[in-house]
Amino acid sequence: MTRPLAALALALPLLAAGSDPLAGRVAGAPQRCISVSATNGPSIVDAKTILYTEGAGRRVWKTGPIGACPSLEPLTTLIVDIYGGQLCRNDRFRVLTPGTSIPSAYCRFTEFTPYVKVADAPKPD
């Protein structure tokens, strides 16, 4: 009985990782900076996608690294250099892989693109 439960426990994260966190949302105009105090995150989706969630999921900010960033993948930890109350394009971060104590080389953020749920999106006049 424990084997099926163990297999199910291992399969659930894989199934969750396959879903699109931006499904049902529309992109807005990219912004140079976002407020750190109003967001939760980061959530690393893949080697090119980092998400910050605002409020109760009303808005999701999508960013990523400029160029390649060593070891950036789900389940890693970002060490972000924050100056002031905002997170901006070109701000630096490093990646800490589980089981290690030395972070990667510095990487930099791209612009932050807001994604809102279709029902919350502004309607054209």
Side-chain angles (χ1 to χ4, degrees), residues 44-106:
I44 303 167
V45 176
D46 56 38
K48 296 183 180 183
T49 309
I50 302 168
L51 302 178
Y52 283 87
T53 305
E54 186 176 315
R58 184 175 56 88
R59 180 178 291 142
V60 175
W61 294 93
K62 178 183 175 188
T63 187
I66 295 175
C69 183
S71 304
L72 183 62
E73 58 189 38
L75 305 179
T76 56
T77 301
L78 288 191
I79 302 170
V80 181
D81 293 347
I82 298 175
Y83 302 98
Q86 293 188 316
L87 192 57
C88 298
R89 183 182 194 282
N90 286 322
D91 279 356
R92 301 182 317 170
F93 67 92
R94 295 179 288 169
V95 179
L96 185 62
T97 304
T100 65
S101 59
I102 301 173
S104 70
Y106 278 103

Side-chain angles (χ1 to χ4, degrees), residues 30-32 62-64 66 88-90 109-113:
Q31 303 293 314
R32 180 167 167 71
K62 178 183 175 188
T63 187
I66 295 175
C88 298
R89 183 182 194 282
N90 286 322
F109 288 112
T110 59
E111 291 181 322
F112 294 83
T113 304

